[in-house]
Amino acid sequence: MSRKNLPVDELQDKAAEAAEFMRLFSTPSRLMLLCHIAQQEQSVSDIQSDLGLKQPALSQQLAELRQAGLVKTRRESRTIYYSIADHRVEAVMDLLFGLFCAAERPPETAHNGQSRPALASSCARQPDIGEAAQFARLDSEDLSGNFPANP
């Protein structure tokens, strides 16, 4: 079905659903979590160790993702493992990885046609967090939206 064929009221409903879904990707820590878990099922202790997140923050983020249905758990003895529960998460992670971390990225340009710095300039390999998680490591100046006219 073409996007043009949907009635406006249906588009509004879908927009609200999509906005809530995308909100769950809107913090770097949740984005890193999803990216890391999307690579393979992970135990809580492995996630904590690999991403360097403190336990209270990790528990809060995992609980929100689980409540939203994006991740699921599996218990093996005393260890809890997390994996992706919603196929849309993997599609979004693949898209973000392709847009921000692909090895052969075209140069980015601003609306005025000038080159601008890449948002994911820190996508250099960092073996401790996994290849797909690299795009979420953004520099704070990259997030400000203040791009120089000529880098």
Side-chain angles (χ1 to χ4, degrees):
M1 174 179 257
S2 172
R3 286 179 272 183
K4 295 178 184 179
N5 295 336
L6 292 176
V8 172
D9 59 335
E10 188 174 339
L11 284 173
Q12 287 176 332
D13 291 342
K14 296 296 182 186
E17 180 183 348
E20 175 57 23
F21 181 74
M22 294 309 297
R23 180 192 66 78
L24 295 165
F25 293 84
S26 67
T27 65
S29 59
R30 277 196 305 263
L31 191 56
M32 287 294 296
L33 260 171
L34 287 169
C35 192
H36 197 59
I37 295 169
Q39 293 177 48
Q40 68 180 22
E41 181 182 67
Q42 302 280 337
S43 72
V44 174
S45 61
D46 287 343
I47 295 168
Q48 187 175 2
S49 172
D50 292 347
L51 299 182
L53 296 172
K54 295 187 188 291
Q55 194 278 328
L58 177 60
S59 292
Q60 180 183 14
Q61 299 297 344
L62 287 170
E64 183 166 359
L65 294 171
R66 186 175 179 197
Q67 185 176 10
L70 300 188
V71 298
K72 60 186 174 185
T73 60
R74 176 181 67 84
R75 180 181 289 273
E76 187 175 297
S77 184
R78 298 180 78 176
T79 304
I80 298 174
Y81 292 90
Y82 280 83
S83 59
I84 299 299
D86 187 328
H87 71 279
R88 299 175 302 175
V89 171
E90 291 175 346
V92 169
M93 300 316 292
D94 287 345
L95 175 65
L96 291 173
F97 185 80
L99 290 172
F100 292 100
C101 294
E104 297 294 324
R105 289 178 49 205
E108 296 187 32
T109 57
H111 292 295
N112 62 5
Q114 298 289 326
S115 293
R116 68 179 191 193
L119 289 177
S121 60
S122 59
C123 278
R125 293 199 184 276
Q126 296 183 17
D128 57 320
I129 61 171
E131 192 172 315
Q134 302 304 317
F135 70 86
R137 291 188 173 259
L138 302 174
D139 295 330
S140 59
E141 70 181 42
D142 290 339
L143 295 175
S144 68
N146 297 323
F147 300 107
N150 286 319

